[in-house]
Amino acid sequence: MSLEIVSSNKSCGGWHKRYRHRSSTLSCDMQFAVYLPPQAEQGARLPVLYWLSGLTCTDENFMQKAGAQKLAAELGLVIVAPDTSPRGAEVPGDPEGAWDFGLGAGFYVNASQEPWARHYRMHDYVVHELPALIEANFPVSDKRGISGHSMGGHGALVCALRNPGRYQSLSAFAPISNPSQCPWGEKALGRYLGEDRSRWREWDACALLAEATERLPILVDQGDRDDFLAKQLKPEALQAAAKAAGHPLTLRLQPGYDHSYYFIASFIDDHLRHHAAALRNA
């Protein structure tokens, strides 16, 4: 599978690069970003943190706003940021042009309903196709962590919980914790998967926790001034599900913080250290 480089920038002794490739999973061209710390040029095979962004975002938001490169360089951690959905003229978007569905809002599920089923298979892309591409083309190991924000936090939780053994570390910022019970999730799951709500459970972190066979510790940060906290994110549901299942969860409610990248940048170092420690010991 050929990679076309889009851009390359020196950063914190390493390199931030963007690539384009044809995705067989999504049946369209996709872009992703990768941060390669200095150790990547020294022959080391490094662990990878996959970052999943939220609604309306692309691969660029995290890399430009989170300020993760400096500590990633110190820790020897590769960061990979895919796009949030399939793109291109052939990919259907929301027929009403809404921002919370379709382009920029793939929700990291495998769609089963038309016209979405051909392209909107972000779960398989993130879990299988993209890591295979990264591991074949960059100096990385098969030690993987996953994290994300909002819709991407939902994606990180679901990718790890549905695929035990695939990831060695897991965290999230302000995740959509219970998508089958919130407006964003009901809209996305209803259209991508159909109206049978029993099928939605396969993509809801709270439901998956009840059946999880792996006890991968989860770190979650949530701002208490987040405008989406009560209606869309529902961290209390995640906490209750983890407690009922006996699943290790550290949920930190951060006073005064909102849903923005100011919030992410404030706590990203804690998450990078959380992942690096687990990946070193994996």
Side-chain angles (χ1 to χ4, degrees):
M1 189 182 298
S2 61
L3 291 177
E4 175 190 351
I5 192 161
V6 175
S7 63
S8 180
N9 301 94
K10 189 80 170 181
S11 177
C12 299
W15 289 93
H16 168 260
K17 299 185 178 186
R18 300 181 73 218
Y19 291 89
R20 181 182 297 113
H21 73 105
R22 184 71 181 178
S23 168
S24 59
T25 302
L26 305 177
S27 299
C28 65
D29 289 342
M30 290 293 286
Q31 292 190 169
F32 66 87
V34 56
Y35 176 67
L36 299 167
Q39 297 89 332
E41 296 182 335
Q42 300 167 8
R45 300 195 73 79
L46 304 173
V48 183
L49 174 62
Y50 290 87
W51 173 269
L52 307 183
S53 289
L55 289 164
T56 75
C57 293
T58 68
D59 64 282
E60 295 184 278
N61 296 73
F62 178 80
M63 293 298 197
Q64 292 181 0
K65 297 179 179 180
Q69 289 88 342
K70 185 175 181 180
L71 184 56
E74 295 177 17
L75 296 171
L77 190 61
V78 173
I79 301 176
V80 173
D83 202 345
T84 51
S85 72
R87 305 276 181 177
E90 71 273 32
V91 177
D94 188 285
E96 299 173 357
W99 59 271
D100 59 354
F101 183 81
L103 302 180
F107 260 81
Y108 304 102
V109 302
N110 290 335
S112 59
Q113 302 298 300
E114 298 299 338
W116 324 108
R118 181 185 176 203
H119 298 287
Y120 285 84
R121 303 187 61 81
M122 285 298 295
H123 180 81
D124 279 358
Y125 176 75
V126 167
V127 173
H128 299 295
E129 184 179 8
L130 184 59
L133 188 66
I134 297 299
E135 289 164 23
N137 289 277
F138 298 96
V140 302
S141 71
D142 61 357
K143 304 304 181 186
R144 310 176 195 96
I146 192 163
S147 186
H149 172 231
S150 193
M151 178 186 73
H154 143 76
L157 293 170
V158 168
C159 286
L161 291 169
R162 283 175 57 97
N163 297 277
R166 185 72 175 164
Y167 303 96
Q168 286 73 53
S169 58
L170 172 61
S171 77
F173 285 83
I176 301 173
S177 298
N178 197 190
S180 65
Q181 303 297 324
C182 76
W184 282 340
E186 289 174 338
K187 179 178 182 178
L189 299 180
R191 292 187 180 184
Y192 289 136
L193 304 176
E195 294 303 318
D196 181 358
R197 285 178 172 257
S198 66
R199 299 194 60 200
W200 299 5
R201 291 178 56 83
E202 302 171 30
W203 306 97
D204 188 307
C206 290
L208 291 170
L209 276 170
E211 303 167 0
T213 59
E214 181 181 48
R215 291 291 182 256
L216 196 62
I218 306 171
L219 172 63
V220 172
D221 273 306
Q222 171 66 62
D224 74 352
R225 296 293 183 89
D226 191 319
D227 290 340
F228 306 113
L229 177 58
K231 188 174 182 180
Q232 304 284 9
L233 305 179
K234 301 182 180 294
E236 70 284 353
L238 185 70
Q239 190 168 47
K243 182 178 181 180
H247 197 106
L249 168 67
T250 300
L251 173 60
R252 308 190 305 187
L253 195 62
Q254 302 291 1
Y257 286 90
D258 57 19
H259 200 67
S260 72
Y261 265 85
Y262 296 107
F263 160 57
I264 295 171
S266 298
F267 300 101
I268 190 61
D269 284 4
D270 290 350
H271 286 247
L272 294 179
R273 291 191 176 98
H274 166 81
H275 288 279
L279 292 166
R280 276 196 303 267
N281 294 326

